Amino acid sequence: MGLQAAAGPVSIAEYSSPKYRGAFLATIAFSFALGMLVAHIFGTILYWRAAAVACGSFYVISLILISISPETPPYLASRGKNSECRKAFKLLRGDDENSEKELEVLIKSQRKTAGPKVPQFTFYRQMITKPEFYKPTVIMMFMFILFQLSGMTVVPSYTVPIMEEVSGGTIEPYTSMLMVDIVRFLTAIIACFAINKFNRRTVLFLGIIISVVSLLTTALLLYLRDGGYITDKYKWTPVVPTLFYIFGKTFGILPIPWAIAGEIFPLAYRSVGSGISGMFLSIMFFVVVKTAPSSFSQIGINGTFCVYGISVAICGLFLFFLLPETKGKTLYEIECHFRGAKAGMVKADWSEKDKMLELKNVEEG
């Protein structure tokens, strides 16, 4: 999982064009939602050993598909394999005028950044002082804290006890689990279109607002029900904001971190940056999932939802000031943003007129 977290979004971003990159990266969220739905269906109807074999078979299919896929063009360009880079790029993007421009920018940008080799210690020491490395790293740390503290992995892991408590026993637990999975799945489909249509920041912060309001509303209703202020006839009402919470986190908090993870690191530090992000995600995954049962028993589902809601709000506040808009930008333009270089300055520094891709021409085709 750690290897996939590092390599998956980066590979998708490097394969796809700026125009469609958001939609392709959003398929990670779609796959997450679909995988949870299928896994829970397997777990409901199959013995656990059969369910494990059924789930594992998807990895066999993935391995075959990855084995016949080309290496990503930016990676080949960074290794000086320009002929292989051109071949892979044309296979993925075609050979129209705009694709040719983007290819030339990619290859020539790597020639420009290539320099004499330095010792590894010196490379890493210089790397951590560069804004194009440490700024994206800090952003991704907050992204994955947000991702995990929103209950992204806790809810799928403990759906049955959570929904049993939220519904007050009025809905059969496995039925409520499938309700959650279906809402998550349908929302992920909507998110694929929304990310390609709207700005990344718009989608993310809309998801954060819906999630925070829904978590705190659910917690409030649970407190009121436990205090006897909600009658048995309406004890199911916390289910409604809980489903809105599932919608909010799947709409914005699930897809955007993966989309940003594939876009935000410069090519020279993409391997290290994505590796650190994957490690941080896994650490937070461990901490949140392992502390969830203690949290449920000590402060209850309502208290846990309060903690998650406040944590999501705090992370969202930090990201509001830290996260730039990346929609519609080439990976090289995003790198220039963190370096503090302006597109015009980069153009002036290069001799040929068309070295820098004009994004508007690509967008308008």
Side-chain angles (χ1 to χ4, degrees), residues 22-35 37 180-198 203 246-247 249-252 254-255:
F24 282 123
L25 285 166
T27 60
I28 297 176
F30 172 78
S31 301
F32 183 93
L34 178 61
L37 175 61
V180 169
D181 288 339
I182 290 169
V183 170
R184 187 189 294 118
F185 174 69
L186 294 176
T187 307
I189 296 175
I190 297 170
C192 288
F193 294 98
I195 289 177
N196 209 43
K197 182 73 174 176
F198 303 106
V203 176
I246 300 298
F247 172 84
K249 75 186 182 76
T250 307
F251 181 78
L254 173 57

Side-chain angles (χ1 to χ4, degrees), residues 111-122:
R111 286 177 185 166
K112 183 175 178 63
T113 55
K117 289 189 176 181
V118 296
Q120 270 200 328
F121 176 78
T122 305

Side-chain angles (χ1 to χ4, degrees), residues 80-132:
K81 300 178 180 180
N82 292 341
S83 60
E84 294 178 43
C85 173
R86 291 178 186 277
K87 183 179 177 181
F89 193 94
K90 289 180 180 180
L91 175 67
L92 294 163
R93 308 277 190 89
D95 55 1
D96 59 86
E97 183 182 353
N98 288 320
S99 295
E100 287 290 339
K101 282 185 178 184
E102 188 176 353
L103 176 59
E104 291 306 312
V105 170
L106 172 64
I107 292 174
K108 290 172 184 177
S109 67
Q110 290 309 299
R111 286 177 185 166
K112 183 175 178 63
T113 55
K117 289 189 176 181
V118 296
Q120 270 200 328
F121 176 78
T122 305
F123 171 79
Y124 289 120
R125 182 173 55 81
Q126 293 173 347
M127 177 185 70
I128 61 177
T129 63
K130 293 190 175 181
E132 62 264 36

Side-chain angles (χ1 to χ4, degrees), residues 143-180:
M143 278 283 193
F144 284 134
I145 291 174
L146 170 70
F147 184 86
Q148 293 296 353
L149 288 180
S150 69
M152 193 63 67
T153 48
V154 168
V155 172
S157 301
Y158 302 103
T159 304
V160 172
I162 288 174
M163 292 305 294
E164 190 172 17
E165 170 68 20
V166 168
S167 67
T170 57
I171 303 175
E172 202 274 326
Y174 287 94
T175 301
S176 61
M177 179 181 71
L178 292 177
M179 285 170 54
V180 169

